[in-house]
Amino acid sequence: MSKKKTILVTGATGFIGHHVVNELHNKGHNVIAFSRHQKKAELLSWWGKVKFVIADMQDPNLNIRELFGEPEILIHLAWAGLPNYHAMFHYEENLPASYHFIIKMVKSGVKQVLVAGTCLEYGMQYGKLSEETHTEPITSYGIAKDTLRKFLQIYQQNISFTLQWVRLFYTYGTGQNPNSLFAQLNSALDHKDDIFNMSGGEQLRDYLPVEEVAHRIALVAEHPECNGVINCCSGNPISIRRLVEEYILSHGSGLNLNLGYFPYQEYEPMAFWGEGKKIHNLLLKNDENFLREKK
């Protein structure tokens, strides 16, 4: 295993955040879980096993050293208001709040910053999207995330720090927003519904289970040499219809799909998926090291 690190995770009670905290703790790291929601934290599997800090990231009087000590790595996952991708608060509130908090952490001595980006930074581009593909965001959320990345890259000219921009594609699993596709699908399965309403399902997307996303984020955090833009993706496009049908089949359900009930999203191209050379090379290297240690 990599050397034990002290890692601060913002958005620790969120969909991805609570899985990341759990993954880091299981790997033996000293984790500081940061969130505004203590009641949510108390229900999670890592509660009582890691240090928990409740505070508001936007508090101008936030005392970094007093609250967090001296973490070596910041994993910034906090971002309010999802999945409302068009709301202006992403740009007006979330962007400056995240920027100022990250800069405070860098000024306090943090040398490695991992931030969750989004595939929506690519905008309406079709096909395979690599880490070198230029960004063309069209949603408030995508623009805000893309701008944050650019701001931080400019700030690196003032203070040297490692920036790992982990650009997330599509994620599903336990704790997901109840309005998301798979949360609604699970609800239909739990209630033994006869019909599930969805879009035409012909969109090609790139999906990973949240546990795998958390594993990859933790792995990247352990390897500061893997930096810059890092696509967190499967690299394997799959249609939404096929993904849903396979999920239903795996649950032994006879749930029928009402295709075309919802229109396709206007802010997403019909077919796009990721190419993640950096993270795939890191996963390969990690597997090789694991096999070597077992011998």
Side-chain angles (χ1 to χ4, degrees):
M1 194 199 90
S2 299
K3 180 183 176 184
K4 187 193 304 186
K5 299 283 188 178
T6 299
I7 304 175
L8 170 64
V9 181
T10 71
T13 57
F15 169 46
I16 294 174
H18 82 265
H19 288 280
V20 170
V21 170
N22 201 48
E23 177 77 11
L24 291 169
H25 171 70
N26 290 340
K27 285 167 122 351
H29 296 290
N30 296 317
V31 184
I32 306 167
F34 179 32
S35 172
R36 294 177 298 169
H37 308 290
Q38 181 166 330
K39 288 186 177 180
K40 284 179 67 176
E42 290 173 356
L43 300 175
L44 300 176
S45 60
W46 47 258
W47 178 255
K49 301 175 184 177
V50 306
K51 179 180 178 180
F52 177 75
V53 174
I54 181 170
D56 187 346
M57 187 176 68
Q58 298 189 47
D59 182 355
N61 299 314
L62 204 66
N63 189 319
I64 298 293
R65 289 296 178 93
E66 184 179 300
L67 286 172
F68 309 125
E70 298 183 15
E72 298 159 90
I73 302 172
L74 167 64
I75 297 181
H76 183 61
L77 306 176
W79 198 275
L82 295 176
N84 187 350
Y85 299 119
H86 294 288
M88 286 307 296
F89 62 72
H90 291 299
Y91 203 83
E92 296 171 345
E93 300 176 25
N94 288 342
L95 169 59
S98 288
Y99 175 75
H100 289 301
F101 177 76
I102 292 170
I103 296 309
K104 277 184 183 179
M105 294 302 302
V106 170
K107 286 181 176 179
S108 76
V110 171
K111 297 296 184 184
Q112 182 181 341
V113 177
L114 186 157
V115 184
T118 171
C119 61
L120 294 186
E121 294 170 60
Y122 290 117
M124 294 297 291
Q125 299 182 79
Y126 282 74
K128 181 168 62 177
L129 305 173
S130 75
E131 288 139 348
E132 291 76 34
T133 302
H134 64 283
T135 53
E136 296 180 0
I138 63 168
T139 62
S140 176
Y141 173 58
I143 292 170
K145 282 285 190 176
D146 196 44
T147 304
L148 176 60
R149 174 183 58 83
K150 292 175 179 177
F151 279 177
L152 293 175
Q153 288 174 332
I154 291 172
Y155 197 79
Q156 284 181 299
Q157 300 171 17
N158 300 315
I159 297 180
S160 178
F161 66 97
T162 297
L163 176 61
Q164 299 172 301
W165 190 264
V166 180
R167 192 170 280 155
L168 305 179
F169 279 68
Y170 288 81
T171 308
Y172 64 93
T174 306
Q176 196 165 16
N177 186 289
N179 294 321
S180 65
L181 172 66
F182 277 90
Q184 293 183 44
L185 181 56
N186 279 322
S187 177
L189 291 170
D190 290 342
H191 289 92
K192 300 188 184 321
D193 293 344
D194 296 321
I195 298 290
F196 181 69
N197 297 323
M198 59 177 288
S199 69
E202 298 305 315
Q203 317 96 304
L204 293 182
R205 295 289 181 265
D206 191 316
Y207 271 91
L208 284 173
V210 67
E211 294 84 0
E212 179 60 24
V213 170
H215 170 68
R216 294 182 182 207
I217 289 174
L219 187 61
V220 170
E222 292 176 332
H223 292 271
E225 74 279 5
C226 180
N227 55 58
V229 173
I230 303 159
N231 276 347
C232 185
C233 57
S234 71
N236 300 311
I238 185 171
S239 73
I240 300 295
R241 177 176 179 174
R242 179 183 164 195
L243 190 67
V244 168
E245 287 174 340
E246 290 180 354
Y247 194 80
I248 292 172
L249 187 63
S250 71
H251 284 71
S253 170
L255 183 64
N256 294 303
L257 300 181
N258 183 18
L259 298 169
Y261 183 86
F262 296 113
Y264 292 117
Q265 299 287 4
E266 78 284 357
Y267 58 85
E268 295 174 321
M270 280 297 292
F272 72 100
W273 60 94
E275 179 185 51
K277 292 180 181 178
K278 291 181 182 179
I279 208 162
H280 290 157
N281 288 338
L282 194 57
L283 288 165
L284 182 62
K285 179 181 176 182
N286 185 64
D287 289 343
E288 289 173 349
N289 290 340
F290 177 74
L291 291 174
R292 193 176 299 117
E293 289 173 1
K294 285 189 70 175
K295 289 182 179 179

